[in-house]
């Protein structure tokens, strides 16, 4: 057997070809009776149509959740969920929260220590003591 | 290369055919189901056929809420109601010529609904052929000297069931727990295999190989090209009519269902939007994925292969020379060995022992040979476009080294 | 040691002072009380007051402490023992006085009824008997005489009854529904029984009301009299329907379709407030027949003789000029609203009556009553066109529970089948007709 092949799986590079928005679903929950839902109700009446139109790739579900604070839940492609309670917020602030959820990747929030994250090895190479001329003094 | 006959393909795949057999009630409901993607001409022929076959003279469909529960997959009208489906359509940037109903159909596996007019089997077959065609030509044209085993591995990596299943998950496609008429059309519907069943039970029988029954006989690589599928795995051709049936009753794995769905989407795009859209979809979603081909090589005797290769190519026989070393008598020596053919260094490798270093050097040299890629890669399917430049033949290699 | 004083002094000592409500006496008593509290004590309590008597005094006459206290010179203490014993003022009068705080409380002399029915009868009998003799000849008085005689007879032979047997029963005694309806039971409501719901018919009502009120304005008639006529004759209504309203002053608002129509309407409305409308309609019927131009509208409107069809089957107004008429004048507003509510059957609450300024606003208010704005957000979103057109939005009316998720994924039928097979759900509860 001269050479065999090892089976592997390609890794996705989101954005190199087509970009798949990681946020696939947004659930909006409100309450008809509670006062903390007022901003949410106003948002759903006025701002939601334009938001939904601007993001056709997000499945948006609006359902009442009686006697609870209003909540926006985002579901992501990696299977994780993010929930943001928007009690007592104004419609503009709720819109900001919705955008925040839309732009999130679904991963846990982590601090990047390095300036560059890449799957390619370094362009200039790692220094090796075994290559290159020895400097003579 | 001859273009695929779109008209001929589409009419056979998309036109509704009357279902044969089945229970009384199902008969009634199935015959009254219509596909929205039907081309006008065949429909006129099928109308009198429907009239004959429907047992009830009235064509009134009982629109009770229980109607849906009787169907094996959601009705065609439900595709417009589903928000999930519309979101999926937009997320994949699918062309507007691809209707939501076809996308809904591509989510229904054969194990969920055995009626070929309402499942994705046909679309998946077409998509599978398209994907393997495009991937193989890309691989062969980009790396002309790639050994066949590595090509098989690379094909598996690009368009194998595992990769396609991962892609379906990345597209945000959720799976239904149990298929039925009431489930959301945006969910992938398939009958799940019972937990604990062994999926890879036994070797595949019923292939076209003449000496299949001789277990101890060696299978050559070239025979795999002829008899096996695009990943080099044996496929049971004569028993193919049996396996789908058994799959429909036993169920399929989630991986298999997801892979079928992705292939069905490819097929649907080709049918509705044409070849350029399909090519574009392939490039954006499949080719953009990252694969390090040099990691797919697995050499057993690289030095021997290299010397045979040099002999074939009329290079000077390869000689391994130490470029630098350190710590020979210590516990962790490092040897940097280069393999030279005359004055040209073919490859270099570092290792803890001389043998290891030489092997690595030989591997590097062989990879350097096999992973040759011409600068301007042109695939044969580019000739299918209008106004394509005249074809310049692609570099065709002798093949891998025969040892 | 027995007390040798006379025992009767105890009792008489108490009753000697008559009850007196005098203020001065109270003060005196208070003084006395403060000085010597034994005098204020009740006789029984005084026995507890153990006085030490000297041994030498035992040979003399023994007087117990109670008698000794009695014998001590005491001032007269006014006591209010049976304050309410006299019947001078009845208890009701006393309560009233106490409530009001004065001796002459305002109000009826005897607001609680005071005397019973029989007492009043007695009092009536006595003056009636006195009047009987001089008024013997009057016819009416004869009847009263007979009645009075009967009463007199019964009064003389009057014995208060102990049970109710044989007594006359007055009233329906609970079975009011068995009695046949009397004249007073008949009720003709001012408003319609049913509210007018169609938009066109509402406009018709508003238009008709506007035309009539402006006609009354122009004829200088009392405006509310328009409501006397509940329903016009068909021909009259048709003329009203054909009239146009030009926005501006109420007096000149009506634009008549033709001179004859104007004359006929003016004549008809002159009659209102006097004789009933039906007689007038017969007289002017001939004029109306000549005057009315047979147009295609008649063909379109079905000849319905059924009086139940509101507005004679007309669907909508011809012109919408009535919407901009202003209702600033309170008399006009009242008359218009009265007529409008009579025709349409809609009640207009006070705040709305106060706040409405034009006829259009009235119609708008009635529309809002008929088609209320959705209170729940889910209904509002379900009606909003913007969200319904978006394919990626799904609005739920009810709270989404885990069972709804199960149904979406298709698990619910499996769960229900399993529960049914285990007998935990009623078998008859058919969800899926398998």
């Amino acid at each position: 057997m001269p050479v065999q092949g090892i089976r592997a799986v390609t890794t996705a590079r989101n954005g190199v070809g087509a970009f798949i928005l990681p946020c696939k679903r947004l659930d909006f929950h409100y309450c008809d009776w509670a006062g903390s839902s007022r901003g949410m109700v106003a948002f759903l009446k006025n701002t939601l149509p334009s938001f939904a139109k601007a993001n056709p790739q997000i499945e948006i579900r609006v359902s009442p959740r009686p006697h609870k604070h209003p909540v926006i839940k985002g579901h992501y492609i990696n299977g994780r969920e993010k929930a943001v309670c928007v009690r007592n917020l104004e419609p503009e602030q709720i819109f900001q929260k919705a955008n925040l959820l839309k732009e999130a990747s679904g991963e846990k929030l982590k601090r990047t220590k390095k300036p560059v994250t890449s799957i390619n090895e370094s362009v200039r190479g790692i220094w090796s003591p075994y290559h290159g001329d020895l400097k003579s003094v | 290369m001859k273009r695929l006959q779109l008209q001929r393909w589409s009419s056979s795949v998309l036109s509704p055919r009357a279902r044969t057999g089945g229970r009384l009630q199902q008969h009634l409901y199935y015959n009254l189901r219509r596909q929205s993607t039907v081309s006008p001409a065949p429909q006129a022929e099928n109308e009198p056929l429907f009239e004959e076959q429907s047992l009830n003279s009235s064509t009134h469909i009982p629109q009770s809420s229980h109607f849906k529960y009787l169907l094996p997959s959601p009705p065609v009208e439900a595709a417009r109601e589903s928000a999930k489906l519309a979101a999926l359509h937009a997320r994949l940037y699918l062309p507007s010529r691809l209707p939501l109903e076809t996308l809904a159909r591509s989510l229904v596996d054969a194990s969920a609904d055995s009626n070929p007019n309402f499942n994705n089997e046909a679309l998946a077959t077409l998509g599978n052929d398209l994907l393997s065609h495009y991937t193989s030509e890309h691989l062969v044209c980009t790396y002309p000297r790639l050994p066949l085993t590595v090509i098989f591995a690379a094909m598996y990596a690009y368009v194998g069931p595992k990769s396609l299943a991962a892609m379906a998950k990345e597209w945000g496609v959720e799976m239904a727990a149990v298929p039925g008429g009431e489930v959301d059309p945006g969910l992938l519907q398939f009958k799940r295999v019972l937990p604990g069943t062994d999926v890879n039970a036994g070797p595949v029988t019923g292939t076209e190989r003449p000496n299949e029954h001789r277990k101890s006989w060696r299978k050559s690589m070239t025979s795999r090209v002829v008899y096996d599928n695009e990943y080099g795995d044996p496929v049971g051709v004569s028993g193919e009519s049996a396996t789908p049936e058994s799959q429909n009753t036993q169920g399929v794995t989630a991986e298999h269902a997801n892979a079928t769905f992705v292939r069905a989407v490819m097929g649907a795009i080709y049918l509705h939007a044409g070849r350029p859209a399909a090519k574009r979809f392939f490039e954006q979603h499949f080719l953009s994925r990252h694969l390090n081909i040099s990691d797919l090589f697995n050499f057993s005797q690289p030095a021997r292969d290299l010397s045979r290769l040099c002999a074939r190519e009329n290079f000077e026989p390869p000689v391994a020379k130490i470029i630098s070393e350190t710590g020979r008598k210590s516990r962790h020596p490092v040897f940097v060995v280069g393999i030279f053919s005359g004055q040209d260094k073919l490859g270099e490798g570092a290792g803890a022992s001389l043998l290891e270093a030489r092997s690595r050097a030989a591997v590097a040299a062989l990879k350097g040979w096999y992973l040759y890629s011409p600068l301007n890669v042109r695939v044969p399917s580019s000739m299918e476009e209008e106004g394509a430049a005249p074809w310049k033949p692609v570099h065709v290699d002798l093949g891998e080294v025969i040892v | 040691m027995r007390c040798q004083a006379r025992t009767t002094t105890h009792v008489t000592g108490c009753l000697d002072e008559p009850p007196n409500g005098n203020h001065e006496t109270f003060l005196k008593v208070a003084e006395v009380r403060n000085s010597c509290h034994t005098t204020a004590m009740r006789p029984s309590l005084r026995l507890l007051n153990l006085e030490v008597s000297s041994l030498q005094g035992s040979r003399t006459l023994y007087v117990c402490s109670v008698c000794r206290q009695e014998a001590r010179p005491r001032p007269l203490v006014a006591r209010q023992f049976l304050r309410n014993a006299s019947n001078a003022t009845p208890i009701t009068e006393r309560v009233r006085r106490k409530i009001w705080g004065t001796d002459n409380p305002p109000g009826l002399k005897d607001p609680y009824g005071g005397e019973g029915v029989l007492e009043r009868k007695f009092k009536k009998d006595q003056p009636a008997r006195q009047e009987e003799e001089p008024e013997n000849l009057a016819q009416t008085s004869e009847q009263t005489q007979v009645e009075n005689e009967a009463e007199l007879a019964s009064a003389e032979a009057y014995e208060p009854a102990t049970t109710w047997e044989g007594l006359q029963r007055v009233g329906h005694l609970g079975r009011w529904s068995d009695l046949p309806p009397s004249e007073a039971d008949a009720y003709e409501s001012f408003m319609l029984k049913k509210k007018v719901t169609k938009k066109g018919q509402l406009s018709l009502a508003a238009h008709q009301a506007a035309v009539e009120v402006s006609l009354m304005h122009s004829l200088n008639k009392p405006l509310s009299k328009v409501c006397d006529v509940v329903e016009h004759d068909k021909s009259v209504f048709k003329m009203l329907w054909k009239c146009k309203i030009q926005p501006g002053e109420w007096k000149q608002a009506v634009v008549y379709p033709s001179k004859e129509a104007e004359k006929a309407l003016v004549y008809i409305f002159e009659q209102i407030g006097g004789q009933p409308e039906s007689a007038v309609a017969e007289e002017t019927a001939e004029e109306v027949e000549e005057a009315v131009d047979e147009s295609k509208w008649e063909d379109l409107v079905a000849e319905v003789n059924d009086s139940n069809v509101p507005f004679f089957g007309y669907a909508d107004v011809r012109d919408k000029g009535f919407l901009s008429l202003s209702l600033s004048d309170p008399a006009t507003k009242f008359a218009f609203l009265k007529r409008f509510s009579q025709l349409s059957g809609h009640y207009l609450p006070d705040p709305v009556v106060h706040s409405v300024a034009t006829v259009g606003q009235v119609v708008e208010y009635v529309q809002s009553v008929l088609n209320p704005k959705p209170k729940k957000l889910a209904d509002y979103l379900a009606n909003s066109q913007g969200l319904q057109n978006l394919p990626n939005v799904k609005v739920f009316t009810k709270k989404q529970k885990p069972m709804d998720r199960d149904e979406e994924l298709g698990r619910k039928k499996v769960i229900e089948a399993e529960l049914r097979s285990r007998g935990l759900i009623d078998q008859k509860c058919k969800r899926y007709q398998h």
Side-chain angles (χ1 to χ4, degrees):
Chain A
M1 308 292 150
V3 59
Q4 298 291 320
I6 302 169
R7 284 194 166 172
V9 174
T10 48
T11 47
R13 291 188 295 187
N14 202 6
V16 173
F19 177 64
I20 312 274
L21 191 72
C23 179
K24 64 182 180 186
R25 187 166 129 205
L26 279 177
D27 289 345
F28 290 88
H29 297 295
Y30 65 95
C31 172
D32 276 314
W33 164 85
S36 57
S37 262
R38 277 176 299 189
M40 175 62 123
V41 165
F43 170 82
L44 292 173
K45 276 188 187 171
N46 307 324
T47 327
L48 185 69
S50 57
F51 178 82
K53 192 148 186 213
N55 301 295
Q57 67 268 47
I58 302 179
E59 181 203 348
I60 290 174
R61 294 159 86 111
V62 178
S63 69
R65 199 161 169 244
H67 288 74
K68 294 277 182 190
H69 284 309
V71 163
I72 312 180
K73 276 194 194 159
H75 302 257
Y76 296 91
I77 278 174
N78 58 3
R80 293 190 77 247
E81 285 175 26
K82 279 174 84 154
V84 175
C85 176
V86 291
R87 61 167 196 228
N88 296 322
L89 291 184
E90 294 303 314
E92 298 78 26
Q93 294 170 303
I94 295 181
F95 178 68
Q96 283 172 8
K97 292 292 181 194
N99 272 331
L100 183 119
L101 285 175
K102 174 195 89 170
E103 288 158 7
S105 75
E107 298 292 333
K108 276 191 182 177
L109 299 178
K110 54 174 92 117
R111 186 171 80 90
T112 45
K113 296 177 190 172
K114 308 289 179 194
V116 176
T117 318
S118 170
I119 50 174
N120 302 316
E121 60 274 4
S122 64
V123 176
R124 296 187 53 197
I126 309 291
W127 175 85
S128 149
Y130 312 113
H131 301 89
D133 291 331
L134 290 165
K135 299 280 185 204
S136 55
V137 181
Chain B
M1 175 168 183
K2 211 172 171 191
R3 269 173 232 193
L4 295 170
Q5 296 296 324
L6 183 67
Q7 204 58 20
R8 230 192 286 159
W9 275 89
S10 63
S11 66
S12 67
V13 169
L14 292 175
S15 69
R17 284 174 306 181
R19 188 177 185 277
T20 53
R23 281 177 285 166
L24 193 74
Q25 271 184 330
Q26 281 180 355
H27 208 189
L28 182 72
Y29 293 133
Y30 285 161
N31 280 342
L32 295 170
R33 281 203 285 178
R34 297 267 193 278
Q35 261 299 339
S36 63
T37 50
V38 141
S39 48
Q43 195 175 24
E45 300 162 12
N46 285 330
E47 288 288 5
L49 200 66
F50 268 108
E51 295 297 330
E52 285 173 61
Q53 295 236 347
S54 65
L55 299 170
N56 213 354
S57 55
S58 66
T59 51
H60 169 66
I61 304 169
Q63 291 294 338
S64 64
S65 61
H66 296 173
F67 170 63
K68 271 195 195 169
Y69 294 103
L70 294 168
L71 295 175
S73 62
V76 179
E77 301 79 36
R80 289 280 153 188
E81 315 286 323
S82 169
K84 237 187 264 278
L85 204 59
L88 180 65
H89 195 287
R91 200 178 301 137
L92 298 177
Y93 309 100
L94 294 177
S96 51
R97 279 190 280 174
L98 179 76
L100 285 173
E101 287 82 3
T102 311
L103 190 61
R105 183 178 167 181
S106 66
L107 282 162
V108 179
D109 192 63
S111 58
D113 189 351
S114 52
N115 189 338
N117 294 329
F118 295 95
N119 64 18
N120 62 7
E121 208 179 330
L123 293 166
T125 318
L126 174 61
N128 188 26
D129 290 346
L130 282 167
L131 282 175
S132 36
H133 166 56
Y134 291 145
T135 319
S136 55
E137 71 174 8
H138 169 263
L139 280 172
V140 168
C141 293
T142 318
Y143 303 104
R145 291 186 184 143
L146 211 58
L148 199 55
T149 47
V150 180
I151 290 180
F152 283 151
M155 285 285 289
Y156 186 87
Y158 272 115
V159 289
K162 253 196 181 145
S163 291
L164 296 180
M167 280 174 71
K169 186 165 177 288
E170 280 155 26
W171 288 353
V173 174
E174 288 156 24
M175 299 182 278
V178 177
E182 79 279 11
V183 301
D184 194 309
L187 297 167
L188 180 67
Q189 299 136 54
F190 63 101
K191 187 174 171 198
R192 286 175 191 247
V193 69
L194 290 173
T197 46
D198 192 5
V199 195
N200 307 316
V204 181
T205 52
T207 57
E208 283 176 341
R209 283 174 183 273
N211 296 309
E212 188 195 333
H213 55 281
R214 300 184 203 279
K215 307 286 180 207
S216 58
W217 283 25
R218 175 182 65 86
K219 288 193 293 186
S220 67
M221 290 310 294
T222 24
S223 72
R224 280 189 214 193
V225 175
V226 177
Y227 298 119
D228 296 343
N229 67 2
E230 57 264 26
Y231 320 122
D233 294 330
V235 58
V237 174
S238 58
E240 192 152 64
S241 55
T243 28
E245 289 277 330
S246 65
Q247 275 182 349
N248 290 355
T249 46
Q250 287 166 16
V252 294
T253 57
E255 185 186 292
H256 185 272
N258 279 313
T260 322
F261 157 68
V262 175
R263 291 171 187 145
V265 169
M266 185 73 185
I269 292 174
Y270 184 87
L271 282 177
H272 283 279
R275 198 205 58 84
K279 199 79 212 290
R280 217 172 13 250
F281 186 78
F282 171 75
E283 279 161 19
Q284 282 182 341
H285 286 96
F286 296 83
L287 277 190
S288 67
R289 291 172 81 86
H290 170 73
L291 178 69
N292 197 357
I293 304 225
S294 66
D295 290 344
L296 300 180
F297 286 87
N298 183 12
F299 293 100
S300 55
Q301 284 186 313
R304 178 191 67 171
D305 300 346
L306 182 60
S307 69
R308 298 295 335 131
L309 177 68
C310 290
R312 188 185 81 178
E313 299 295 323
N314 295 322
F315 295 156
E316 290 178 34
V319 176
K321 295 177 186 172
I322 299 175
I323 294 172
S324 74
E325 62 161 295
T326 179
R328 187 182 274 257
K329 295 284 184 179
S330 72
R331 198 171 189 285
H332 298 285
V334 176
F335 299 97
V336 181
V337 166
I339 293 193
F340 294 84
S341 166
Q343 288 301 309
D344 314 315
K345 186 165 82 168
L346 298 175
E348 180 191 294
S353 63
L354 284 164
L355 198 59
E356 185 193 339
R358 189 187 69 161
S359 300
R360 285 192 192 272
V363 164
L366 283 169
K367 280 188 182 175
W369 172 259
Y370 286 135
L371 288 175
Y372 158 74
S373 179
L375 285 172
N376 301 317
V377 178
R378 201 155 163 234
V379 286
S381 59
S382 62
M383 291 304 291
E384 290 172 354
E385 294 156 27
E386 285 132 17
W391 176 249
K392 267 196 199 160
V394 183
H395 169 80
V396 177
D397 197 57
L398 287 170
E400 66 180 283
V401 174
I402 298 166
V403 184
Chain C
M1 297 272 262
R2 196 172 289 171
C3 169
Q4 275 128 27
R6 280 185 297 146
T7 49
T8 50
T9 47
H10 295 239
V11 179
T12 49
C14 300
L15 285 181
D16 274 342
E17 295 97 39
N20 198 349
N22 214 339
H23 187 58
E24 289 163 21
T25 342
F26 275 128
L27 279 176
K28 266 195 200 163
V29 168
E31 281 174 43
V32 167
R33 271 208 195 118
N34 288 336
S35 58
C36 169
H37 77 101
T38 45
T39 50
M41 277 195 289
R42 274 180 272 129
S44 50
L45 272 182
R46 295 212 191 104
L47 290 169
L48 295 171
N49 199 1
L50 298 166
E51 284 181 355
V52 176
S53 54
S54 61
L55 286 162
Q56 293 159 3
S58 61
R59 274 182 243 132
T60 58
L61 188 72
Y62 172 70
V63 178
C64 68
S65 61
V66 176
C67 299
R68 218 176 288 135
Q69 295 301 334
E70 292 280 326
R72 196 187 294 170
R74 279 179 295 142
L76 278 176
V77 177
R79 288 200 194 137
Q80 302 279 327
F81 283 116
L82 291 165
R83 213 190 306 188
N84 302 327
S86 75
N87 284 341
T89 51
I91 189 160
T92 54
E93 185 60 30
R94 276 185 258 125
V95 167
R96 282 186 66 232
R97 278 185 192 165
K98 187 158 183 205
I99 288 171
W100 285 100
T102 58
D103 281 347
N104 287 327
L108 292 176
K109 185 180 169 236
D110 200 351
Y112 300 113
E115 313 156 316
V117 178
L118 288 168
E119 285 178 8
R120 251 188 266 128
K121 237 195 203 172
F122 275 129
K123 284 199 182 149
K124 239 194 325 182
D125 280 345
Q126 276 149 16
R129 231 181 284 153
Q130 285 161 16
E131 289 166 14
E132 236 182 31
E133 290 146 17
E135 292 177 8
N136 257 337
L137 299 169
Q139 210 181 20
T140 50
S141 66
E142 267 188 28
Q143 290 175 4
T144 53
Q145 188 191 8
V146 169
E147 286 171 16
N148 287 337
E149 280 179 359
E151 285 174 22
L152 190 62
S154 64
E156 283 175 358
Y158 175 67
E159 277 176 33
T162 47
T163 58
W164 66 11
E165 287 167 20
L167 288 179
Q168 181 195 14
R169 295 200 177 185
V170 180
H172 54 68
L173 298 169
R175 291 189 217 287
W176 57 269
S177 48
D178 290 347
L179 298 171
S182 64
E183 254 189 50
D185 288 338
Y187 172 65
E188 283 156 19
S189 60
F190 175 76
M191 306 280 269
L192 292 179
K193 293 270 170 61
K194 282 188 184 174
K195 289 187 183 175
V196 166
T197 49
K198 293 189 189 156
K199 193 171 172 204
Q201 290 181 349
L202 274 176
S203 311
L204 275 171
H207 176 81
Q208 184 183 347
V211 169
E212 288 168 351
V213 171
S214 64
L215 263 172
M216 298 301 268
H217 250 292
S218 60
L219 299 172
N220 290 320
K221 287 224 143 206
L223 294 174
S224 303
K225 289 286 179 185
V226 128
C227 300
D228 292 342
V229 180
V230 177
E231 211 183 331
H232 288 287
D233 197 40
K234 182 165 182 185
S235 43
V236 179
F237 181 78
K238 193 193 245 172
M239 279 198 287
L240 286 173
W241 181 71
K242 283 189 182 166
C243 286
K244 288 192 189 148
I245 297 274
Q246 66 187 29
E249 280 285 323
W250 277 86
K251 282 205 169 178
Q252 296 117 24
V254 184
V255 173
Y256 301 96
S258 59
K259 273 283 175 190
E260 291 89 356
E262 182 181 352
K263 268 193 260 170
L265 282 171
V266 163
Y267 182 74
I268 287 168
F269 278 80
E270 285 283 342
Q271 308 296 319
I272 289 174
Q275 287 147 19
E277 182 14 56
S278 53
V280 173
E282 289 169 53
E283 290 172 27
T284 57
E286 297 166 14
E287 297 178 35
V288 159
E289 287 302 319
E290 295 162 10
V292 164
D293 211 335
E294 296 303 315
S295 65
K296 55 186 176 184
W297 294 106
E298 261 203 24
D299 299 331
L300 285 175
V301 172
E303 285 290 332
V304 182
N305 295 322
D306 190 1
S307 58
N308 290 338
V309 176
F311 297 106
F312 304 104
Y314 283 92
D316 205 348
V317 277
R318 251 218 278 198
D319 99 294
K320 298 218 167 55
F322 62 89
L323 284 171
S324 48
L325 278 172
S326 83
L327 294 169
S328 42
D329 178 29
T332 326
K333 188 196 261 198
F334 178 76
F336 175 80
L337 291 176
K338 186 175 173 186
R339 183 58 173 164
F340 179 68
S341 55
Q342 186 186 26
L343 290 174
S344 65
H346 281 277
Y347 294 92
L348 299 164
D350 285 346
V352 171
V353 169
H354 186 76
S355 66
V356 106
T358 66
V359 174
Q361 283 181 0
V362 180
V363 179
E364 211 180 286
Y365 168 77
V366 175
Q367 289 285 5
S368 75
V369 162
L370 288 174
N371 313 318
K373 269 170 51 172
K375 289 205 176 133
K376 298 218 176 219
L377 180 67
D379 300 331
Y380 178 91
L381 292 177
N383 291 339
S384 83
Q385 280 311 301
L387 272 186
Q388 292 311 308
N389 294 337
L390 292 167
N392 60 326
V393 175
K394 192 144 187 215
V395 177
F396 294 96
T397 329
K398 285 192 153 182
K399 178 183 173 187
Q400 289 303 102
K401 300 208 175 102
M403 204 44 155
D404 296 307
R405 183 92 188 125
D406 278 346
E407 175 154 11
E408 209 182 294
L409 293 175
R411 272 197 288 255
K412 188 173 171 186
K413 56 182 187 285
V414 176
I415 294 170
E416 285 204 0
E418 186 60 35
L419 288 172
R420 214 172 273 129
S421 70
R422 293 188 194 191
L424 297 165
I425 281 185
D426 187 17
Q427 292 276 356
K428 290 177 203 162
C429 168
K430 273 191 189 171
R431 262 207 105 78
Y432 322 106
Q433 289 155 9
H434 280 306

